[in-house]
């Protein structure tokens, strides 16, 4: 039986790798997840016959019930949720994985080790996996709450206090020391283990709490890598090769993805995790001069219809309003009028890298109209109209000019270089980073207020009226 | 010697898998970052099989309760991760259909 299980796990690992490889190309991506899905089903079914499972039939019943409850809730959640809420769904499912790894460690640690038990290095790995998994769990739950914009998390500043980093470091240090004590003394004391888990969970939550919402994608990606690592460590403990391979692949690819995302924001990961965003923002930011100038959709439509080149910059506002279909409809009208239409995507537009690409793909926008920041930034100076739809911080020129701004140094789309800028925006509020945007006050900028979907419908009507 | 080999073989697996993960994601277009992150999120749902083994070994009611929680969370990770990823990638498929 052992050989059969190992063979199945080996096959699962192979299928996962093939699946991930396929997922990294747009044309084969869909089949990639299906491949990986078959691998998961296969591994799960055969695990019922795992030779390490020795206990009575009662545990099998529990297993089936737990899989049914967890599976149905997750299935329902994933099917039900709006596309805009995908990032926080990734966060919460990632947290569940971390929690599962931590719980596996808890079961292993709580076993009575007096009659021999696992070797010390195995226990150290169990403790390490428990620590990382628990941090990923509580951190992801907080990230979920923040992205969901739950009221409790609204004000980042209230979770900041002086000496916070030292306090967090102390909690983390205490968790490590306690973990080592548990592992080295082969202790299965319920009290020690409970305190250890409480410290680890507290650290994860406190690590995520003060981080500004705009940085959340980087943090979720980091927790994703953490969970992978925790799964791999518990894989070592259980001697489960599928968990080791899958966990490490996620750990390393997740780390790389985190670095790439942080780089796209021109910040280091440690800067994201430890910088005190609010303290920076409260410094003397340059006063924004000028006034907001409103424009009605019909006028905006005329400006675009007679333009030679229009560059569209989508942001989170487009995602919230689900405006991508309307926008593509409008683009098709413009293209019929021989307007050169392009989409410019900032690496962190929306809530995640590629978030906008997914939505535009949903609407049917061809890939060759969609450009990354580096490809298109030169072109703004030759554009007649730059249409900003619900994007804010990623087009804020303060990132280029204002050293006191918290987003200073972040690469932005140079929308302000276009001849005319139109900004579709719900209201006069500030962006996710919580700062004013000088672009909106510039002489060549016009604000088109309203829900992105309704405004776009107005624009379509305006273009059609021109005949 | 045998003990040394069995101690080191997981370390080799670790090293090779780490390189593989790095390679897989290294050349990915930005467009696929979110779906791929979601995909890797699904892949670590394999924790489910470990949770099943842990629950299978549980003897005391406390161990059973924690094992139950582990399986529940692991199943949530795997199932949720799958459907979120699938829904995202579904869009790439539909957009291709419209282009034809």
């Amino acid at each position: 039986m052992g050989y059969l299980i190992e063979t199945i796990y080996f096959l699962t690992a192979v299928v996962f790798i093939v699946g991930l490889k396929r997922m990294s190309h747009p044309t084969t991506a869909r089949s990639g997840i299906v491949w990986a899905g078959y691998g998961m089903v296969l591994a799960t079914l055969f695990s019922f016959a795992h030779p390490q499972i020795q206990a009575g039939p009662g545990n099998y019943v529990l297993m089936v019930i737990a899989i049914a409850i967890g599976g149905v809730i997750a299935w329902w959640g994933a099917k039900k949720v709006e596309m805009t809420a995908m990032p926080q769904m990734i966060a919460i499912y990632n947290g569940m994985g971390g929690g599962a790894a931590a719980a596996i460690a808890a079961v292993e640690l709580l076993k009575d080790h007096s009659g021999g038990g696992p070797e010390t290095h195995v226990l150290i790995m169990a403790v390490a996996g428990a620590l990382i998994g628990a941090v990923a769990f509580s951190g992801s739950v907080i990230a979920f709450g923040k992205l969901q914009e739950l009221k409790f998390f609204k004000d980042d500043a209230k979770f900041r206090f002086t000496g916070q980093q030292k306090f967090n470091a102390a909690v983390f240090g205490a968790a490590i020391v306690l973990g080592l004590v548990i592992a080295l003394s082969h202790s299965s004391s319920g009290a020690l283990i409970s305190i250890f888990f409480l410290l680890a969970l507290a650290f994860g939550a406190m690590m995520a709490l003060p981080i500004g919402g705009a940085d959340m994608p980087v943090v979720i990606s980091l927790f994703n890598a953490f969970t992978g690592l925790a799964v791999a460590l518990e894989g070592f403990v259980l001697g489960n090769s599928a968990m080791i391979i899958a966990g490490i692949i996620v750990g390393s690819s997740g780390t790389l993805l985190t670095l790439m995302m942080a780089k796209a924001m021109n910040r280091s990961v440690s800067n994201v995790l430890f910088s005190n965003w609010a303290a920076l923002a409260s410094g003397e930011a340059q006063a924004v001069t000028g006034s907001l100038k409103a424009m009605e959709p019909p006028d905006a439509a005329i400006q675009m219809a007679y333009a030679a080149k229009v560059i569209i910059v989508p942001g989170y506002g487009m995602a919230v309003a689900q405006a991508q279909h309307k926008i593509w409809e409008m683009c098709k009208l413009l293209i019929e009028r021989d307007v050169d239409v392009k989409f410019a995507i900032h690496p962190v537009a929306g809530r995640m890298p590629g978030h906008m690409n997914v939505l535009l793909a949903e609407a049917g926008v061809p890939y060759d109209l969609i450009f990354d920041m580096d490809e298109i930034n030169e072109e703004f100076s030759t554009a007649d109209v730059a249409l900003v739809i619900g994007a804010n911080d990623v087009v804020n020129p303060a990132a280029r000019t204002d050293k006191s701004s918290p987003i200073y140094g972040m690469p932005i789309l140079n929308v302000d270089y276009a001849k005319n800028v139109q900004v579709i925006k719900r209201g006069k509020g500030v962006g996710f980073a919580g700062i004013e945007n000088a672009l909106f006050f510039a002489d060549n900028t016009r604000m088109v207020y309203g829900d992105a979907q309704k405004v776009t419908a107005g624009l379509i009507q305006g273009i059609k009226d021109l005949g | 010697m045998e003990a040394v080999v069995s101690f080191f073989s997981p370390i080799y697996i670790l090293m090779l898998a780490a390189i593989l993960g790095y390679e897989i994601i290294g050349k990915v277009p930005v467009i696929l970052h979110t779906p791929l992150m979601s995909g890797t999120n699904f892949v670590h749902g394999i924790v489910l099989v470990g949770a099943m083994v842990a629950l299978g070994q549980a003897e005391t009611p406390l161990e059973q309760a924690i094992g139950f929680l582990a399986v529940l969370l692991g199943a949530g990770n795997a199932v949720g991760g799958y459907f979120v990823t699938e829904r995202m990638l579904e869009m790439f498929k539909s957009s291709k259909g419209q282009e034809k």
Side-chain angles (χ1 to χ4, degrees), chain A residues 17 29-30 33 40 47 52 55 59 75 78-79 81 83 94 97 108 111 220 224 236 252 256 260 352-353 361, chain B residues 10 18 20-21 25 33-34 37 40-42 44 49 53 55-58 64 77 82-83 86-87 90-91 95:
Chain A
I17 292 163
R30 173 73 172 62
I33 185 66
M40 189 71 78
S47 292
Q52 283 175 1
N59 285 9
W75 172 80
K79 283 278 173 195
V81 74
M83 274 318 283
N94 174 51
E108 296 302 316
K111 283 199 182 122
I220 293 175
N224 190 38
F236 278 116
S252 73
L256 182 61
M260 282 158 78
M352 292 222 156
Chain B
L20 197 62
I25 208 159
H33 276 180
T34 302
M37 172 163 156
T40 56
N41 183 31
F42 164 71
H44 66 52
V49 305
V53 172
L55 174 57
Q57 292 174 339
Q64 282 181 319
N77 182 186
Y82 181 85
F83 285 105
E86 202 215 7
R87 272 187 63 186
E90 187 73 24
M91 294 174 177
S95 71

